[in-house]
Amino acid sequence: MKVWIAGQNGLLGQACKKALEGIETVGTSRDDLDMRDRDAMRRFVELTEPTHLINCTGFTGVDLAENNKEAAHTINAQAVEEMGKLGIKVLHFSTDYVFGGTKRSPYSIHDTPAPLSVYGMTKLRGEQRLLDVNPKACVVRTAWLFGHGRSNFVTQMMELMQKNKEIRVVEDQVGSPCYADDIAKAAIGLLDAHGLHHVVNSGSASRLGWARAIHQQMQKRGMEFICEDIKPAQSREFLSDARRPAYSVLEGINLRCWEEALERYMEQEVLCPVA
Ligand SMILES: NC(=O)c1ccc[n+]([C@@H]2O[C@H](COP(=O)([O-])OP(=O)(O)OC[C@H]3O[C@@H](n4cnc5c(N)ncnc54)[C@H](OP(=O)(O)O)[C@@H]3O)[C@@H](O)[C@H]2O)c1
């Protein structure tokens, strides 16, 4: 087995690299190989002969995608279809944002997607086009990722709490916070699986509840912050280009609970903080 990790410098890419320690890998970043270039992908496969591709690339700027539809479509859908034609096993990541958020119980793989944003729509197209051209591919939908080495909701909240006495966080978005290290490990176990899978940490939280849990962790670990109050807010109070689902908790492969995963992540961050 030789696994090609495309997008190795991204949040999930770095976690996959770590999870694949001991297995032969070859990693690429955007600078080495633009995944929109079909011929370059083919040449790379001929040259390096991987057996599997884990696609951690994507146009992941949810708001940015609203005004960059074509660019988002090219990497999130068109390129993913081309990956499916490379003749190797493909594992691709997708998102809870394929759902519309009208349910109040976790979404399974059998629920009908209804994306609210360009990001969600292009990600849905990517899953569909990949599985159409390559039914043996594996699509892993995951959700609100936090992890090491790249900015994410947890690092953004920590920064806000270090700079502000009071912060406001939305309570009307509920989802599945997911630790990239946990998702990567589980995904490695699915390298030879087919079809669509949901992989998340167990439990659910609003953005507000998640922020409060981060605050507690900072307190517990003696980290510096000045924030004393985290107040509830509504999504409509913040200007954002993209609509996000009010509820996008996933069920499927449910890993340890997100609170435990957050605790583990915070332990690691205190031991080896990112500069
Ligand atoms: N983050 C989340 O909360 C979340 C939730 C659910 C699903 N997902 C999915 O999980 C996957 C990984 O997400 P992530 O959070 O790890 O994203 P990320 O940190 O933004 O990483 C994405 C990577 O893709 C690379 N990339 C973008 N366009 C490329 C291109 N044309 N050619 C080659 N590389 C390109 C980026 O390169 P640069 O480093 O040069 O920008 C970056 O390293 C994505 O498919 C995303 O949709 C993410």
Side-chain angles (χ1 to χ4, degrees), residues 7-13 29-31 33-36 55-60 75-76 92-96 119 123 142-146 150:
Q8 64 171 352
N9 294 336
L11 188 62
L12 207 42
S29 65
R30 194 204 299 246
D31 292 342
L33 177 47
D34 188 329
M35 299 297 279
R36 293 168 300 183
N55 177 32
C56 299
T57 68
F59 193 116
T60 55
I75 182 71
N76 288 348
H92 169 66
F93 289 103
S94 190
T95 171
D96 55 325
Y119 170 73
K123 292 295 295 182
T142 187
W144 300 359
L145 286 178
F146 61 95
R150 198 136 169 154

Side-chain angles (χ1 to χ4, degrees), residues 30-47:
R30 194 204 299 246
D31 292 342
D32 312 319
L33 177 47
D34 188 329
M35 299 297 279
R36 293 168 300 183
D37 184 341
R38 184 183 63 178
D39 295 333
M41 283 200 286
R42 289 184 179 166
R43 282 195 302 274
F44 186 78
V45 169
E46 273 169 29
L47 194 73

Side-chain angles (χ1 to χ4, degrees), residues 63-258:
D63 289 311
L64 204 61
E66 290 300 308
N67 297 313
N68 293 278
K69 197 171 178 177
E70 194 52 43
H73 174 80
T74 311
I75 182 71
N76 288 348
Q78 201 171 301
V80 179
E81 176 179 339
E82 294 303 330
M83 293 174 209
K85 298 178 189 164
L86 289 170
I88 57 175
K89 188 72 184 42
V90 179
L91 185 143
H92 169 66
F93 289 103
S94 190
T95 171
D96 55 325
Y97 282 8
V98 297
F99 292 113
T102 50
K103 270 184 85 178
R104 285 298 172 268
S105 60
Y107 283 93
S108 82
I109 57 162
H110 305 294
D111 283 306
T112 306
L116 302 174
S117 61
V118 167
Y119 170 73
M121 175 60 78
T122 56
K123 292 295 295 182
L124 178 62
R125 290 269 178 278
E127 319 178 334
Q128 292 167 336
R129 287 172 67 164
L130 174 62
L131 291 173
D132 279 353
V133 296
N134 184 349
K136 288 192 171 165
C138 178
V139 173
V140 172
R141 282 191 194 136
T142 187
W144 300 359
L145 286 178
F146 61 95
H148 307 285
R150 198 136 169 154
S151 168
N152 60 81
F153 183 80
V154 180
T155 58
Q156 287 157 12
M157 286 300 120
M158 290 200 290
E159 247 184 79
L160 283 175
M161 290 176 206
Q162 280 156 356
K163 290 182 185 152
N164 301 280
K165 283 203 149 183
E166 180 190 299
I167 64 168
R168 302 176 69 248
V169 183
V170 299
E171 62 177 350
D172 57 353
Q173 288 175 31
V174 175
S176 305
C178 291
Y179 185 20
D181 284 16
D182 287 355
I183 304 305
K185 272 186 218 141
I188 305 312
L190 290 171
L191 271 174
D192 287 314
H194 301 166
L196 185 57
H197 301 264
H198 285 180
V199 181
V200 287
N201 286 108
S202 311
S204 63
S206 65
R207 296 264 177 198
L208 174 68
W210 190 10
R212 287 187 169 151
I214 295 162
H215 190 254
Q216 275 175 9
Q217 283 293 325
M218 291 178 82
Q219 237 163 351
K220 184 172 168 182
R221 292 173 199 292
M223 294 169 86
E224 277 181 29
F225 61 89
I226 58 167
C227 180
E228 291 160 1
D229 200 6
I230 306 174
K231 286 201 153 56
Q234 303 300 310
S235 300
R236 63 171 181 275
E237 296 173 49
F238 294 90
L239 277 180
S240 66
D241 291 324
R243 279 179 70 205
R244 289 166 171 77
Y247 182 95
S248 59
V249 179
L250 301 183
E251 70 175 1
I253 299 175
N254 291 77
L255 309 172
R256 63 177 163 178
C257 69
W258 70 265

